[in-house]
């Protein structure tokens, strides 16, 4: 369990131990000032990547193009007032809201097993072991196949996602900001002390988002697992819903929209576009195929639900991760067979490490009796958890991040080397993974104490053996 789990409850007459610890609060991301800047800058980065990957950025094939052509076009306003491409439309906002409602409906009604999450609150054992519907794979197939079929039958035009990309991104940003405000305000609602510990209306606060600074807490997320009680006893988990569904599936629809537009304007779908589509669709499919794994991630067990996750899930992931597909619409690249094979090999190496490491840990932790899992060496911590010290987890403490990062290269390589912009993902994701490794290391050091030190002395490298 993470450092933030089960920290405080907002109750009438109750106290918050977060209040006593205010002076020692461990801020992240530069504290209130840093998070205020991030809240303004991150949406701008989404727009920058859009513009840099559009006519102002890639019209001329040059590494410096986005930096040479975009700033003047921004300064003289021509990049901002393109009548053919408005920044905001009510229609696009309605599409984003409708998409969220459709996915919420799928979350509530599609068939699938229920899974139990980890214990979120040690103060009330059992009370915060929540249940979640694991029907994401069904939502993925219904949404993606429905969209492709609808496009093939002429009922919908998937290239709408390409043409209306900018107002759709604005719609997603508006929704994520509105959601963050709602989440922060609802976390302040004080409930009667007699309310049962597992009642959805009782806010369980994440320690990392309970600093007392409204801006910081709204960014980090004050409440750990905000839920809305629906008729029939169904408890709608806002964070777990947003983590995978609307953003990840929306990302693939944006990619498909780019492929549809490339087909319409170019007459065929290039092999580079097919590689990007195949890799990214598989990545999202894999996330849903292993959906229960989300319940043990730091996002669910430790971080509160605020701007950081809401914006990341709903706006950042779909509208920046689809950048390579969008680039390939304006620059349809047909790759040589050798290049295709080299890129596929890169993807497979990354996948081998990523899936191998993640599956090995999942199998080990869930008590698999497979001989390869039984043969793993491990140390047993005082808390009872076992930490693997051989196999993938003996190579580096987050070797799974290395596999993920290698796969990130395979998503960018199909755009070749005409612009650095399409490689934004490799750079951003590298920074995210190093930062995530530091946060996880801090969490494990706090949780396991000297056992973690012992583990680190056996497995010395963090992500990349010999280098980091
Ligand atoms: P990990 O799957 O790396 O799990 C970390 C946790 O595993 C630790 O907190 C600890 O938890 C446990 N653990 C650590 N070392 C060991 C060990 N040696 N043996 C057994 N258990 C151990 O966490 P993440 O949630 O960060 O990553 C999951 C996957 O998601 C990764 O592959 C990552 O690349 C990917 N990811 C992708 C992102 C994207 O945007 N595409 C964003 C973030 C992650 P405990 O307290 O249980 O001991």
């Amino acid at each position: 369990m993470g450092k933030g789990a089960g920290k405080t409850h907002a109750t009438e007459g109750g106290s918050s131990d977060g209040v006593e610890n205010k002076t020692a609060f461990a801020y992240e991301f530069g504290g209130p000032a840093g998070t205020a800047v991030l809240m303004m800058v991150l949406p701008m980065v989404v727009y920058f990547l859009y513009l840099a990957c559009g006519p102002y950025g890639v019209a001329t094939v040059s590494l410096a193009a986005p930096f040479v052509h975009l700033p003047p076009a921004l300064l003289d306003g021509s990049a901002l007032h393109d009548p053919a491409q408005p920044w905001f439309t009510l229609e696009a906002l309605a599409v984003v809201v409708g998409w969220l409602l459709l996915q919420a409906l799928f979350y509530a009604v599609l068939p699938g097993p229920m899974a139990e999450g980890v214990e979120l609150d040690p103060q009330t054992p059992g009370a915060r072991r929540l249940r979640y519907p694991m029907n994401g794979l069904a939502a993925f197939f219904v949404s993606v196949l429905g969209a492709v079929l609808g496009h093939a039958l002429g009922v919908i035009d998937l290239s709408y996602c390409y043409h209306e990309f900018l107002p759709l991104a604005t719609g997603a940003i508006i929704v994520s900001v509105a959601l963050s405000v709602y989440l922060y305000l609802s976390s302040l609602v004080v409930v009667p002390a007699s309310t049962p510990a597992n009642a959805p209306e009782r806010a369980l606060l994440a320690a990392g988002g309970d600093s007392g600074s409204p801006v910081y807490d709204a960014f980090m997320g004050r409440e750990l697992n905000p839920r809305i009680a629906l008729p029939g006893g169904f408890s709608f988990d806002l964070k777990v819903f947003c983590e995978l569904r609307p953003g990840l599936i929306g990302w693939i629809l944006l990619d498909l929209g780019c492929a549809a537009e490339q087909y319409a304007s170019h007459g065929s779908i290039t092999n580079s576009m097919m590689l990007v589509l195949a890799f990214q669709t598989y990545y999202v499919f894999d996330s849903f195929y292993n959906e229960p794994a989300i319940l043990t991630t730091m996002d669910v067990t430790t971080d509160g639900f605020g701007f950081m996750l809401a914006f990341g899930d709903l706006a950042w992931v779909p509208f920046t991760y689809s950048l390579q597909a969008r680039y390939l619409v304006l620059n349809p690249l047909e790759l040589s067979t050798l290049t295709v094979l080299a890129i596929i090999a890169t993807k497979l190496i990354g996948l081998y490490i990523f899936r191998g490491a993640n599956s090995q840990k999942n199998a080990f932790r869930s008590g698999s009796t497979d001989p390869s899992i039984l043969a793993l060496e491990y140390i047993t911590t005082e808390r009872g958890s076992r930490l693997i010290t051989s196999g993938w987890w003996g190579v580096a403490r987050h070797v799974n991040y290395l596999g993920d990062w290698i796969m990130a290269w395979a998503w960018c390589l199909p755009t070749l080397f005409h612009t650095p912009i399409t490689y934004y993902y490799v750079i951003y994701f590298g920074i995210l993974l190093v930062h995530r490794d530091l946060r996880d290391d801090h969490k494990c050091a706090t949780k396991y104490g000297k056992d973690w030190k012992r583990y680190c002395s056996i497995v010395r490298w963090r992500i990349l053996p010999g280098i980091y």
Side-chain angles (χ1 to χ4, degrees):
M1 181 154 313
K3 67 185 163 88
K7 186 73 166 56
T8 57
H9 292 102
T11 55
E12 196 176 64
S15 69
S16 159
D17 48 347
V19 173
E20 289 127 42
N21 292 335
K22 287 295 179 282
T23 49
F25 195 85
Y27 284 116
E28 297 182 76
F29 301 104
T35 50
V37 170
L38 279 176
M39 278 197 266
M40 284 182 283
V41 166
L42 289 175
M44 284 198 256
V45 176
V46 174
Y47 289 130
F48 169 78
L49 290 173
Y50 167 81
L51 291 168
C53 201
Y56 298 98
V58 293
T60 54
V61 176
S62 139
L63 283 184
F67 308 103
V68 172
H69 297 287
L70 185 54
L74 281 173
L75 286 176
D76 72 18
S78 56
L80 301 175
H81 302 293
D82 184 349
Q85 186 60 99
W87 287 61
F88 169 80
T89 64
L90 267 180
E91 182 191 278
L93 180 62
V95 169
V96 170
V97 173
W99 172 249
L100 277 166
L101 293 176
L102 180 69
Q103 290 304 320
L105 182 72
F106 288 167
Y107 181 81
V109 304
L110 284 180
M114 293 295 285
E116 204 163 59
V118 300
E119 180 59 76
L120 294 176
D121 183 8
Q123 292 171 26
T124 54
R128 286 282 176 165
R129 192 123 200 235
L130 304 173
R131 288 167 63 74
Y132 307 82
M134 292 287 114
N135 54 6
L137 200 54
F140 170 76
F141 278 125
V142 169
S143 307
V144 174
L145 295 180
V148 171
L149 198 64
H151 181 80
L153 295 175
V155 181
I156 57 165
D157 179 7
L158 270 175
S159 60
Y160 177 89
C161 298
Y162 175 79
H163 292 297
E164 300 305 314
F165 190 93
L166 187 55
L168 286 172
T170 303
I173 291 169
I174 291 172
V175 167
S176 56
V177 170
L179 179 60
S180 311
V181 172
Y182 162 79
L183 290 166
Y184 179 71
L185 294 179
S186 68
S187 78
L188 298 174
V189 174
V190 174
V191 298
S194 57
T195 309
N198 58 352
E201 60 270 31
R202 182 194 278 265
L204 175 63
L205 305 186
D210 187 25
S211 72
S213 157
V215 170
Y216 184 81
D217 293 349
F219 178 88
M220 296 299 291
R222 193 161 176 269
E223 192 170 346
L224 186 63
N225 62 314
R227 289 192 153 206
I228 298 175
L230 294 179
F234 186 76
S235 181
F236 191 94
D237 195 288
L238 289 166
K239 183 165 68 170
V240 168
F241 166 70
C242 286
E243 274 284 290
L244 292 184
R245 316 293 177 105
L248 286 192
I249 303 175
W251 164 26
I252 298 309
L253 291 200
L254 289 172
D255 275 3
L256 286 169
C258 294
E261 177 57 23
Q262 195 190 56
Y263 186 77
S265 59
H266 181 68
S268 65
I269 298 179
T270 58
N271 57 8
S272 54
M273 178 71 90
M274 283 185 200
L275 285 180
V276 168
L277 255 184
F279 293 164
Q280 299 191 347
T281 306
Y282 179 78
Y283 190 84
V284 171
F285 162 80
D286 184 72
S287 305
F288 286 115
Y289 188 73
N290 296 291
E291 194 178 9
I294 187 86
L295 301 181
T296 54
T297 60
M298 209 185 340
D299 293 7
V300 172
T301 62
T302 308
D303 291 333
F305 193 30
F307 180 86
M308 180 173 74
L309 289 181
F311 173 80
D313 294 340
L314 303 180
W316 182 268
V317 166
F319 291 95
T320 72
Y321 285 23
S322 53
L323 183 137
Q324 291 82 21
R326 234 163 38 73
Y327 172 84
L328 290 171
V329 175
L330 286 176
N331 299 271
L333 293 171
E334 204 60 57
L335 309 175
S336 71
T337 308
L338 200 62
T339 309
V340 169
L341 290 177
I343 295 171
I344 291 176
T346 307
K347 169 73 183 181
L348 291 179
I349 291 169
L351 185 63
Y352 178 65
I353 301 173
F354 170 82
R355 195 40 49 231
N358 285 332
S359 300
Q360 193 173 65
K361 175 157 73 76
N362 285 347
F364 178 80
R365 280 284 175 93
S366 55
S368 164
T369 51
D370 187 281
S372 68
I373 301 297
L374 291 177
L376 289 171
E377 292 165 26
Y378 59 87
I379 60 169
T380 305
T381 65
E382 274 179 8
R383 290 182 65 120
S385 306
R386 297 179 306 160
L387 298 171
I388 311 166
T389 54
S390 69
W392 283 115
W393 295 85
V395 175
R397 304 205 287 271
H398 268 128
V399 72
N400 52 344
Y401 289 1
L402 176 64
D404 217 347
W405 195 61
I406 293 173
M407 289 199 291
W409 276 95
W411 298 1
C412 303
L413 287 170
T415 65
L416 297 179
F417 301 105
H418 302 302
T419 169
I421 289 297
T422 49
Y423 286 81
Y424 111 87
Y425 182 69
V426 166
I427 298 162
Y428 146 79
F429 199 46
I431 295 169
L432 179 144
L433 292 175
V434 168
H435 183 246
R436 198 175 171 93
D437 167 73
L438 293 172
R439 295 183 81 209
D440 193 53
D441 185 72
H442 176 74
K443 178 207 113 171
C444 290
T446 310
K447 178 176 176 180
Y448 295 122
K450 61 178 172 37
D451 290 325
W452 187 250
K453 275 195 184 148
R454 186 157 62 102
Y455 170 67
C456 293
S457 70
I458 301 170
V459 185
R460 287 182 47 227
W461 299 106
R462 286 172 175 273
I463 295 177
L464 185 57
I467 296 187
Y468 178 71

